Amino acid sequence: MFNHPLMFIWLPLLLLSGCQPQQPSSSEQELKQSMAEIKLQLVKMEKQIKEIHEIATASTAPKAKELPPLADLDNQDKLPSLGQSDAPIVIVEFSDFQCPYCKRFLELSFPKLKQQYIDTGKVRYLVRNFPLSFHANAESAAIAAACAGKQDSYWPMREQLFANITRLNPELYLSSAKQQDLQLPDFEACLDDPAIKASVMADLQYGQQYGVTGTPSFIIGRVSNNQMQTPKLLVGAHPYEAFSAILDKLQQDN
């Protein structure tokens, strides 16, 4: 049957080649490698898009913690304040002058927030100090701002301090006071007043009482009889849209 003279040569070769996967050529291997790399890049891109989406969603619809009612919101009208005193909604900011995120909020979100809500009488804006222990100059800067406030210059001093966040020191406080035409003897005496330092620490303790742990943090809610009803704690330097979403809902719920 198998008596062809070449049978003993080509039959073993046939048997070896049959039912065996062919080895891919070098060009095929390169193509498969390229496809695998493209697939890996697509997976990475999909992950990045998902992360960007999560950040964007968190920015426009931030999670805010509900708090119990807050009493004595303005510390008997002693806190720095913007807007009408009888505004139906109040925002209380807890801030640290050495915090870069507080500076970011001030530069990117606060101007439009002030224009759209504070200046229009919809919102009253209050500030409390929250100097973090690992920021060596945050407490002294808060004292300097409070002392400027004694001469009705809290807000200009606030801007000056945040504009110089990396070089907060007594020399800066005095030079800023001079630029604002403050009474320097009174300002310098205030810097050493234990009562001012006590007021700064009282702000810190007030925030801690309601769960504030970092800066910037904001307590936002409707107000009745100087008490905030169903307040919410929002943490972080969120964009303007995050605040407007909360404020608009509070207005609608009225």
Side-chain angles (χ1 to χ4, degrees):
M1 179 177 178
F2 297 108
N3 56 4
H4 194 281
L6 297 178
M7 181 66 69
F8 296 103
I9 298 176
W10 60 263
L11 182 59
L13 293 175
L14 179 63
L15 293 174
L16 285 174
S17 62
C19 297
Q20 299 293 325
Q22 294 183 350
Q23 295 297 320
S25 65
S26 59
S27 59
E28 290 176 333
Q29 289 180 332
E30 291 174 358
L31 178 60
K32 288 184 178 181
Q33 184 176 358
S34 298
M35 292 296 293
E37 291 176 356
I38 291 173
K39 184 177 180 180
L40 181 61
Q41 290 298 322
L42 288 174
V43 171
K44 289 182 178 179
M45 288 176 64
E46 183 179 1
K47 183 179 179 181
Q48 290 173 349
I49 291 172
K50 183 179 179 181
E51 290 175 350
I52 292 171
H53 174 72
E54 290 175 351
I55 292 172
T57 304
S59 298
T60 55
K63 294 181 181 179
K65 178 183 177 181
E66 293 189 4
L67 299 176
L70 270 69
D72 191 20
L73 289 177
D74 58 10
N75 191 22
Q76 299 179 356
D77 204 27
K78 295 177 182 177
L79 296 182
S81 174
L82 289 176
Q84 297 181 6
S85 59
D86 60 349
I89 299 173
V90 168
I91 298 176
V92 183
E93 174 193 344
F94 293 84
S95 191
D96 175 314
F97 283 105
Q98 209 172 343
C99 168
Y101 300 101
C102 297
K103 176 180 172 67
R104 179 188 301 174
F105 163 77
L106 180 64
E107 294 175 345
L108 300 182
S109 303
F110 182 73
K112 192 172 182 180
L113 189 64
K114 182 177 183 296
Q115 179 187 34
Q116 297 294 324
Y117 292 94
I118 300 171
D119 293 345
T120 56
K122 299 175 182 177
V123 170
R124 186 185 183 198
Y125 198 88
L126 305 173
V127 177
R128 285 185 180 268
N129 296 292
F130 203 85
L132 299 169
S133 59
F134 53 86
H135 286 159
N137 300 315
E139 182 181 306
S140 64
I143 291 172
C147 289
K150 291 289 186 180
Q151 300 187 44
D152 298 323
S153 291
Y154 172 83
W155 297 99
M157 180 65 80
R158 168 184 164 96
E159 291 186 8
Q160 191 77 2
L161 295 176
F162 273 123
N164 296 276
I165 191 172
T166 60
R167 60 186 196 92
L168 299 175
N169 55 54
E171 290 76 14
L172 175 67
Y173 309 150
L174 289 176
S175 64
S176 299
K178 290 178 182 177
Q179 292 178 26
Q180 297 166 33
D181 294 324
L182 302 185
Q183 295 294 324
L184 291 183
D186 293 341
F187 181 78
E188 291 181 284
C190 180
L191 293 178
D192 296 326
D193 187 349
I196 301 300
K197 179 176 180 178
S199 70
V200 169
M201 301 314 295
D203 281 349
L204 180 70
Q205 293 167 2
Y206 184 93
Q208 291 172 335
Q209 177 183 351
Y210 290 100
V212 177
T213 58
T215 57
S217 289
F218 308 86
I219 297 180
I220 307 171
R222 296 192 63 84
V223 175
S224 176
N225 297 323
N226 201 32
Q227 185 178 63
M228 190 182 292
Q229 308 296 330
T230 60
K232 296 182 181 298
L233 174 63
L234 180 65
V235 180
H238 294 280
Y240 163 80
E241 290 77 13
F243 292 90
S244 64
I246 294 175
L247 295 172
D248 290 347
K249 188 175 189 308
L250 284 172
Q251 289 180 308
Q252 294 170 3
D253 293 343
N254 184 20

